[in-house]
Amino acid sequence: MGRLASAYGQAVAAHRAARAHLDTARRALAGQPPQAAPAGASELVTRLAALGGALATPTPGATPVTAAPVPVRVGDASTPDGAFPVLVPLGGGHHLAVDADARDPRVAGLLRALVLRLLATAPTGGVRVAGIDTAALGATFGPLRPLIDAGVLDPPATGEAEVAALLDAAERHARTARHADRPDQELLLVVAASAPPPREAARLAALTHAGPAAAVCVLVAGRPTAASAEPAPQLGATTTIRLTERYAHVGDPPGAPFSHDGTGLAAPVLLDGDPPAASVAALAAHLGDAARRSDAVGFAELLPERRWVESAGNGLRTVVGRAGRDRVTVAFDDATPHWLVGGRTGAGKTVFLLDVLYGLAARYSPAELQLYLLDFKEGVSFTEFVPTPRDPSWLPHARAVGIESDREYGVAVLRELRRELSRRATTLKRHGVTKLADLPRDTPLPRIVAVIDEFHVLLAGNDALARESVDLLEELARKGRSYGVHLVLASQSMTGVEALYGRAEAIFGQFALRVALPGGGGVLDPLNEAAQTLPVGSAVLNTAAGAVGADTVVRFPDAHAAAGELAGLRHELWQARPAGGRPPSVFKGYEAAHVEDDPTFAGLRPGGRRPLALVGRTVDVEGTSALFMMDATPGRHLAVVGTSATGAEVLRAATLSLARQHAPGDARFLLAALVTAAEPAADDTAATLAAAGHPVDRLDATGLRRHLGTLAAAPSAPDEPGGPAADGSAPVAGRTYLVVFGVDAASGVLAATDPDTFRSGHDDLRAVLRQGPGQGTHLLGWWRGLRRLADDLGGAHNRDDVACLVALNVPGAELGLHLGVHDLAYAPRPDRALLVDRHDQRTRLIVPFARDGHGPDGED
């Protein structure tokens, strides 16, 4: 900086010394015979030429322009003895104004030359250039396109809304810079206009008066002259240039004038034109590479120095990246209680969410923050937050995590959050306060952040699930602010969601913070185009529900590239988890369920009076076991219905779970495998039962018919083996489980009538169904069709004789007709089933149990 300051001092002194020679130059330009130059003029020109040449090709990486004004060449002054370079101070609170229309090639060329020289003079990242081009609609910056492509220049603002937003950003930059000890980046605001409107002109003038601390340098073309009808507001610390037909007149620079009377430099000046295209390309390549290195945001920048020391009483805050060189902090608080995030595939939406979640988890302890995470796309966005066979760690803040979630699971999470709102409302009322921060220290309530990625899947269609989801989201959005429950909804698109028609504003109006990644401009106001040219790795943060003028462009780190750092942080937080902390409840939509992994199955022991038949995992927040109680109540039989071979797997799981509740010899198992598809499951069931010491009889269709007759004729007496206990429940001893894989395959045998008793097998089957539970006998059967089940039961009036039903790939309309339910909305899909217990009038979606090694829907 010393060399440049000294050079500028020499230039000013030389300009003043040349004052005596300028009349000669003026007369020469006016066509008068030039007079002989005074002695010493040639030496003066030589000195200035040398000085100008040194400054015309500045060295990249020199002292920042923010430190002090930098002398910058604007052209050559003409004298009879030759020319000398004209230098004016720019940066450090000094500005430049040209009174001519920016469409004049001389003006446009000068602006481009000054941009290039200031960028080359400053260290990498020391100057950020933002342009306004209302005169030529962006063409003024066309020759500088390589710098725009390299990310060194921002695309110019051309429309009224863009200009207003850019001036807003410049004013924010100035306010922020004033509070910095030493701002390390100066904003170069280049305005190419024919004549700025009064409001814009006033805002530009205010920026020129902001002083060096604001770190803003304004280059403006198109200012009206003093003779204009509406002269522009007075500029501060600005060198003015006035164009004549061929030359330019340079006014006095602020603080170091050329003249003593305010007339400026007397010599006419030939302005510099466009820099060579090769120079632009070379500088773009140099600065682009350096900018990419310096602009890269490291994941460590998002983290606090110390873990878990911040309080969430008044809200949650975390750093998400950088705007320029300033860290950007976002919040979940009263002003921005909920966030809406948009971005196309590959735009970095998942990366941004991971950055936010890890940043929050590093700042707030699990006592201050809880996370509910849902992912509805075919991805593994949140897998790293849950324990896996390869890595047993988990994020201790996570309470529920859904990966490739079902819509039913999403609704279950929203219901749980609504229940949490009610619990919190009761707690606040009991303590007589209205805010979480006012609760006693011994009654803390952690803030909850619920992230729903690809939330539009949850609202797909206009069925009962979609309508309930919209109702729940609207309630959570309205009330969550008061009770510390915050929503983050992320999606590729915000349009075309039928269930939101007429409700979108009621919900999204609560989402003050909008995050637009590339392709995600739909979360912003339709007039806000700030996200149109975003590169991957950056986002527009808008704290005014997407309105124009409240945008901050932020760069965020690539969480995937920092996988090692993330894993280290996760292990650090996991090891610091509170004593007794349990892993999150996890729902993996792509994963089959196995009865051997079920915690309820593992806890089963002999001796219970009401054995439980486990059939799957309920699609709910806790992933509870789906089961039926096999007591003496009429109808306690199990029917698994559907053509899918998973039906055999469900029977296997139910049978093995019942067997674990009986000591060897206390129960009898009759197994009939009547269809080929069921043989592997039936053989595995029989082998497992035999290994546990339980007697097992294998039956064919004829044997089934014979045993049904025997069971139908069996007497029943209270408190006798095989009879009900005094409390109405069947005793453990003497239970009989008839397990039939493919009941419908025996229909021909069961339809035959005994010539002596005139009873058919169906008569005996129906008798067993009616009397069996009271005798300690339960049928567990797989029917491959609902109509076959209805026929075997003897019609709709007998459907309560089998109260426990697991429906696999059965159409909802057909199932509803069988159950007598007219509005049953169920769409069958692989690895899902509907559990119906007619006694408690509940219908639940479950993941049916399958054996290891089986693919989707029980297929090998």
Side-chain angles (χ1 to χ4, degrees):
M1 188 64 206
R3 184 180 70 86
L4 293 175
S6 174
Y8 181 63
Q10 295 177 43
V12 171
H15 281 312
R16 288 173 173 170
R19 182 75 176 177
H21 308 284
L22 295 181
D23 288 339
T24 300
R26 189 180 296 110
R27 285 191 294 272
L29 292 171
Q32 301 175 13
Q35 301 177 359
S42 298
E43 179 184 356
L44 175 64
V45 171
T46 302
R47 289 172 54 202
L48 288 174
L51 178 61
L55 294 174
T57 55
T59 303
T63 306
V65 296
T66 54
V70 173
V72 180
R73 172 189 168 111
V74 296
D76 284 322
S78 297
T79 70
D81 281 352
F84 61 85
V86 179
L87 311 174
V88 298
L90 289 178
H94 291 67
H95 316 279
L96 179 72
V98 184
D99 71 344
D101 192 318
R103 287 170 292 190
D104 187 314
R106 295 176 295 171
V107 177
L110 175 64
L111 292 178
R112 292 189 286 262
L114 294 178
V115 168
L116 201 70
R117 287 168 181 166
L118 285 169
L119 283 173
T121 303
T124 301
V127 172
R128 180 168 64 90
V129 184
I132 294 174
D133 190 3
T134 56
L137 300 180
T140 302
F141 294 86
L144 300 181
R145 185 72 203 186
L147 292 171
I148 297 176
D149 295 338
V152 179
L153 270 67
D154 295 337
T158 58
E160 181 179 350
E162 292 178 337
V163 171
L166 181 54
L167 292 175
D168 289 341
E171 290 164 354
R172 286 197 300 272
H173 172 91
R175 289 193 296 269
T176 303
R178 286 196 193 98
H179 293 91
D181 292 337
R182 180 183 173 85
D184 57 358
Q185 187 178 58
E186 184 150 13
L187 173 64
L188 177 60
L189 183 58
V190 185
V191 183
S194 55
R199 177 172 173 78
E200 293 176 8
R203 298 181 72 180
L204 289 170
L207 288 171
T208 65
H209 287 281
V216 175
C217 176
V218 178
L219 307 182
V220 57
R223 280 181 52 80
T225 63
S228 300
E230 293 185 11
Q234 184 67 37
L235 300 181
T238 300
T239 302
T240 60
I241 296 179
R242 178 171 52 82
L243 264 63
T244 61
E245 183 175 350
R246 184 179 174 188
Y247 290 91
H249 173 262
V250 178
D252 285 326
F258 298 136
S259 67
H260 296 288
D261 56 4
T263 58
L265 185 64
V269 177
L270 188 65
L271 295 177
D272 285 343
D274 267 315
S279 299
V280 176
L283 184 62
H286 171 76
L287 294 181
D289 291 341
R292 281 187 288 274
R293 291 192 299 269
S294 64
D295 285 352
V297 184
F299 179 73
E301 296 182 53
L302 308 186
L303 304 180
E305 293 183 2
R306 298 171 57 199
R307 307 288 183 253
W308 295 359
V309 297
E310 298 187 28
S311 171
N314 292 313
L316 301 166
R317 287 166 181 78
T318 187
V319 176
V320 294
R322 277 194 272 122
R325 299 194 174 188
D326 300 323
R327 292 188 179 186
V328 176
T329 300
V330 289
F332 292 100
D333 55 16
D334 289 345
T336 55
H338 311 298
W339 299 4
L340 198 59
V341 181
R344 66 171 182 266
T345 300
K349 184 157 46 66
T350 298
V351 170
F352 178 82
L353 293 176
L354 291 178
D355 287 343
V356 169
L357 292 172
Y358 274 113
L360 290 171
R363 284 173 168 79
Y364 302 95
S365 71
E368 301 277 349
L369 169 67
Q370 290 183 352
L371 300 174
Y372 289 75
L373 310 174
L374 295 174
D375 178 12
F376 284 101
K377 65 182 178 182
E378 295 182 359
V380 289
S381 299
F382 304 131
T383 300
E384 60 188 85
F385 295 143
V386 304
T388 64
R390 295 183 59 185
D391 186 347
S393 69
W394 69 84
L395 198 66
H397 308 73
R399 302 311 318 134
V401 180
I403 302 167
E404 288 190 29
S405 305
D406 284 12
R407 296 171 65 216
E408 290 84 354
Y409 182 75
V411 172
V413 170
L414 295 181
R415 290 172 184 158
E416 175 62 24
L417 292 175
R418 182 176 60 182
R419 287 190 290 269
E420 182 63 24
L421 286 183
S422 299
R423 289 191 289 266
R424 292 181 173 220
T426 300
T427 300
L428 293 178
K429 290 176 183 177
R430 185 170 64 249
H431 289 279
V433 298
T434 59
K435 297 181 179 179
L436 297 185
D438 295 333
L439 284 172
R441 291 188 177 182
D442 59 350
T443 313
L445 284 177
R447 288 187 179 266
I448 292 174
V449 174
V451 180
I452 308 179
D453 196 6
E454 304 300 343
F455 76 92
H456 64 276
V457 176
L458 177 63
L459 309 181
N462 196 24
D463 57 12
L465 275 177
R467 292 191 294 272
E468 183 180 3
S469 299
V470 171
D471 291 340
L472 290 167
L473 283 174
E474 182 176 358
E475 183 176 357
L476 291 169
R478 283 190 295 104
K479 298 181 179 179
R481 178 200 316 260
S482 301
Y483 301 117
V485 177
H486 307 283
L487 300 176
V488 178
L489 302 184
S491 181
Q492 298 178 32
S493 175
M494 303 294 148
T495 59
V497 182
E498 184 179 356
L500 283 175
Y501 290 168
R503 306 284 296 277
E505 182 57 34
I507 296 176
F508 296 151
Q510 307 293 330
F511 288 69
L513 182 66
R514 307 294 176 90
V515 181
L517 294 105
V523 301
L524 305 176
D525 187 276
L527 298 177
N528 191 339
E529 301 177 349
Q532 287 189 351
T533 57
L534 283 177
V536 173
S538 62
V540 172
L541 301 184
N542 185 294
T543 56
V548 175
D551 302 315
T552 300
V553 178
V554 59
R555 299 184 308 280
F556 54 89
D558 185 349
H560 296 323
E565 295 178 72
L566 267 60
L569 175 62
R570 185 175 61 253
H571 277 265
E572 176 188 346
L573 301 180
W574 176 59
Q575 291 170 353
R577 68 190 183 278
R582 60 186 179 89
S585 170
V586 183
F587 176 80
K588 297 179 180 179
Y590 58 86
E591 192 173 70
H594 306 295
V595 69
E596 292 83 358
D597 299 331
D598 187 80
T600 302
F601 179 82
L604 295 175
R605 298 290 185 273
R609 298 190 64 83
R610 294 177 171 82
L612 308 176
L614 276 60
V615 295
R617 299 292 300 273
T618 306
V619 179
D620 61 11
V621 175
E622 297 300 331
T624 53
S625 303
L627 54 84
F628 296 105
M629 189 176 294
M630 293 295 161
D631 57 18
T633 306
R636 302 318 286 177
H637 305 285
L638 170 63
V640 182
V641 185
T643 58
S644 168
T646 303
E649 306 288 347
V650 174
L651 278 194
R652 170 187 174 273
T655 303
L656 296 183
S657 58
L658 289 167
R660 286 179 66 88
Q661 298 165 76
H662 296 281
D666 284 347
R668 183 170 60 144
F669 293 87
L670 307 175
L671 266 65
L674 307 182
V675 293
T676 303
E679 289 178 356
D683 292 343
D684 182 88
T685 303
T688 304
L689 291 174
H694 295 291
V696 180
D697 293 334
R698 299 292 297 267
L699 311 176
D700 57 12
T702 302
L704 173 64
R705 169 70 179 86
R706 183 175 63 255
H707 277 80
L708 284 173
T710 301
L711 292 171
S716 176
D719 295 327
E720 292 182 1
D727 63 357
S729 64
V732 173
R735 282 191 185 274
T736 297
Y737 297 104
L738 180 57
V739 185
V740 185
F741 297 86
V743 182
D744 53 284
S747 59
V749 174
L750 297 180
T753 303
D754 186 283
D756 297 325
T757 63
F758 302 102
R759 291 177 61 84
S760 69
H762 284 124
D763 292 330
D764 291 336
L765 171 64
R766 292 160 191 164
V768 170
L769 293 177
R770 288 192 301 273
Q771 304 167 9
Q775 298 173 337
T777 298
H778 305 278
L779 171 67
L780 289 76
W782 170 34
W783 281 264
R784 292 173 296 175
L786 199 56
R787 181 173 296 179
R788 288 289 190 182
L789 170 63
D791 291 344
D792 287 349
L793 292 178
H797 59 283
N798 292 329
R799 61 192 174 200
D800 284 345
D801 287 345
V802 177
C804 309
L805 181 68
V806 175
L808 297 169
N809 53 341
V810 179
E814 183 180 343
L815 182 60
L817 184 63
H818 173 79
L819 298 174
V821 178
H822 303 294
D823 59 348
L824 181 62
Y826 173 59
R829 54 192 187 273
D831 284 329
R832 297 294 182 270
L834 206 62
L835 181 147
V836 180
D837 192 331
R838 297 188 60 81
H839 288 168
D840 64 9
Q841 301 298 314
R842 296 182 65 188
T843 301
R844 287 165 287 176
L845 185 73
I846 68 170
V847 180
F849 284 135
R851 287 182 300 145
D852 286 336
H854 277 219
D857 213 18
E859 299 179 0
D860 291 334

